[in-house]
């Protein structure tokens, strides 16, 4: 079973693990977060009239709004020890899938709390697609893993992050064709997750993040369509239900949804973006990053 999960993640770049976090810990962290949000931003989760009382925060576009200034709350929450048991449960789950201490957590947690935007119909997003890590020629593993932790049930219409499964493998292939060396500055920018992996960074051949999408668009009509507007019905069928395949690599748009206590692991080299929150509810998700061990 574990081997199949590892293989599934290698192929898709996305892996959901259910019921990882005890609900008692979820409720404790969720309660603490909302107390701090109310104290700092005067926002009450049970009072939608308070969500946008401040016109300058939350910020965002028509798709969804994010609170600017959650970093200090997350740092204090980490320092309090309230995240320790959650972190331990995530580590145990990753160890079962990838091998003991193959991945280790970084110190920084992120809040991905988002509020509804002004759009009324959920659609597969057509803009802001990006990857967060370059693809290195000869290295099938990412430097880091993103782990999403669900504090509440999250459906697609709540602004779920949307990932193109398999796109990291497409990028790996393109790196062999278009990759360049002499990217020391880019490699050094990721020192927190790649230190010690390379003897000579200047000799490493890689495809930078900002070249992945354009390269895929030039190669594949499916990605050309992905970045163009279209009706919700058509785009959901085309990108989520049907997907596509090229060079033996299957790809689909996958919404990162789950129930409270679930986690989702995804490869930051995968193309991803945020979608519209049309649910009328806040999306309550945290993120913890893990780095590969040498």
């Amino acid at each position: 079973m574990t081997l199949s999960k590892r293989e599934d993640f290698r192929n898709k770049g996305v892996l959901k693990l259910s019921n990882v976090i005890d609900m008692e810990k979820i409720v404790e962290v969720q309660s603490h977060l909302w107390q701090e949000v109310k104290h700092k931003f005067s926002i009450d989760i049970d009072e939608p009239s308070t969500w946008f009382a401040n016109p300058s925060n939350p910020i965002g576009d028509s798709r969804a709004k994010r609170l600017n200034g959650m970093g200090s709350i997350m740092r204090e929450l980490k320092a309090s020890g309230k995240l320790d048991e959650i972190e331990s449960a995530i580590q145990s789950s990753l160890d079962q899938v990838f091998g003991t201490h193959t991945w280790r957590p970084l110190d920084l947690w992120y809040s991905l709390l988002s509020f509804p935007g002004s759009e009324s119909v959920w659609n597969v997003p057509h803009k802001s697609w990006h990857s967060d890590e370059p693809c290195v020629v000869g290295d099938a593993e990412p430097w880091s893993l993103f782990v999403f932790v669900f504090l509440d049930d999250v459906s697609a219409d709540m602004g779920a992050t949307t990932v193109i499964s398999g796109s990291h493998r497409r990028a790996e292939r393109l790196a062999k064709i278009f990759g360049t060396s002499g990217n020391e500055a880019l490699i050094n920018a990721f020192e927190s997750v790649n230190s010690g992996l390379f003897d000579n960074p200047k000799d490493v051949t890689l495809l930078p993040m900002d070249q992945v999408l354009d390269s895929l668009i030039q190669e594949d009509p499916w990605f050309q369509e992905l970045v163009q507007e279209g009706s919700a019905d058509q785009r959901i069928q085309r990108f989520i239900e049907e997907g596509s395949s090229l060079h033996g690599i299957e790809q689909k748009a996958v919404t990162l949804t789950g129930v409270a206590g679930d986690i989702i692991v995804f490869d930051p080299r995968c193309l991803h973006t945020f979608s519209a929150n049309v649910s009328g509810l806040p999306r309550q998700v945290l993120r913890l990053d893990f780095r590969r061990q040498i």
Side-chain angles (χ1 to χ4, degrees):
M1 179 65 70
T2 299
L3 182 60
S4 66
K5 287 182 179 178
R6 190 184 305 128
E7 290 176 342
D8 195 43
F9 178 77
R10 173 70 191 105
N11 289 332
K12 298 177 181 177
V14 182
L15 178 67
K16 177 188 283 188
L17 300 173
S18 300
N19 303 314
V20 169
I21 314 299
D22 182 78
M23 279 305 301
E24 183 177 342
K25 299 306 300 181
I26 290 290
V27 171
E28 178 185 358
V29 169
Q30 186 184 46
S31 176
H32 179 84
L33 273 177
W34 281 112
Q35 288 176 9
E36 293 302 310
V37 166
K38 186 173 183 178
H39 175 74
K40 184 171 184 177
F41 303 105
S42 300
I43 291 176
D44 188 334
I45 185 175
D46 296 318
E47 294 291 342
S49 62
T50 68
W51 298 352
F52 306 108
N54 181 346
S56 60
N57 199 19
I59 58 175
D61 60 19
S62 62
R63 288 180 288 174
K65 309 290 185 182
R66 295 274 292 275
L67 273 174
N68 185 24
M70 287 294 292
S72 61
I73 291 178
M74 294 307 301
R75 288 191 294 272
E76 291 166 6
L77 186 60
K78 166 69 175 175
S80 74
K82 288 183 172 65
L83 293 168
D84 289 353
E85 290 185 37
I86 291 179
E87 197 167 298
S88 178
I90 296 171
Q91 181 72 73
S92 177
S93 293
L94 295 187
D95 287 350
Q96 291 177 37
V97 174
F98 299 106
T100 302
H101 292 174
T102 303
W103 298 92
R104 296 291 287 170
L106 299 180
D107 288 333
L108 188 60
W109 281 78
Y110 301 90
S111 168
L112 304 183
L113 173 66
S114 72
F115 293 87
S118 59
E119 295 185 13
S120 59
V121 177
W122 193 87
N123 198 347
V124 176
H126 71 277
K127 58 185 178 180
S128 305
W129 290 101
H130 66 284
S131 56
D132 284 328
E133 206 173 276
C135 278
V136 176
V137 174
D139 190 353
E141 300 288 341
W143 296 335
S144 64
L145 298 178
F146 291 173
V147 178
F148 281 26
V149 181
F150 292 84
L151 299 183
D152 196 7
D153 297 358
V154 173
S155 52
D157 64 348
M158 295 173 74
T161 298
T162 306
V163 178
I164 303 301
S165 66
S167 56
H168 63 306
R169 295 176 59 210
R170 294 288 305 277
E172 287 175 14
R173 179 184 175 278
L174 290 169
K176 296 176 183 178
I177 302 171
F178 301 112
T180 59
S181 57
N183 294 287
E184 298 98 319
L186 177 57
I187 291 173
N188 291 337
F190 286 85
E191 185 179 9
S192 64
V193 292
N194 69 17
S195 60
L197 291 179
F198 310 110
D199 293 329
N200 298 297
K202 64 181 176 60
D203 296 329
V204 173
T205 301
L206 57 78
L207 184 67
M209 300 88 74
D210 60 2
Q211 296 181 24
V212 172
L213 181 58
D214 286 344
S215 298
L216 288 170
I217 289 172
Q218 292 175 19
E219 180 184 54
D220 190 345
W222 193 84
F223 282 97
Q224 295 173 19
E225 295 177 36
L226 180 68
V227 298
Q228 297 172 1
E229 294 187 66
S231 72
D233 288 345
Q234 290 176 334
R235 288 181 64 80
I236 289 170
Q237 179 177 347
R238 177 71 169 126
F239 299 109
I240 292 181
E241 297 175 1
E242 295 176 356
S244 182
S245 179
L246 188 65
H247 307 302
I249 300 171
E250 295 184 359
Q251 60 210 20
K252 277 188 175 183
V254 177
T255 56
L256 302 192
T257 60
V259 301
D262 290 352
I263 68 172
I264 290 181
V265 186
F266 88 91
D267 187 325
R269 299 174 301 171
C270 287
L271 285 176
H272 58 280
T273 188
F274 68 96
S275 66
N277 186 339
V278 301
S279 68
L281 298 169
R283 179 189 71 158
Q284 302 181 58
V285 178
L286 303 181
R287 190 186 105 196
L288 177 63
D289 297 351
F290 282 70
R291 68 160 288 166
R292 196 166 96 201
Q293 294 302 283
I294 301 172

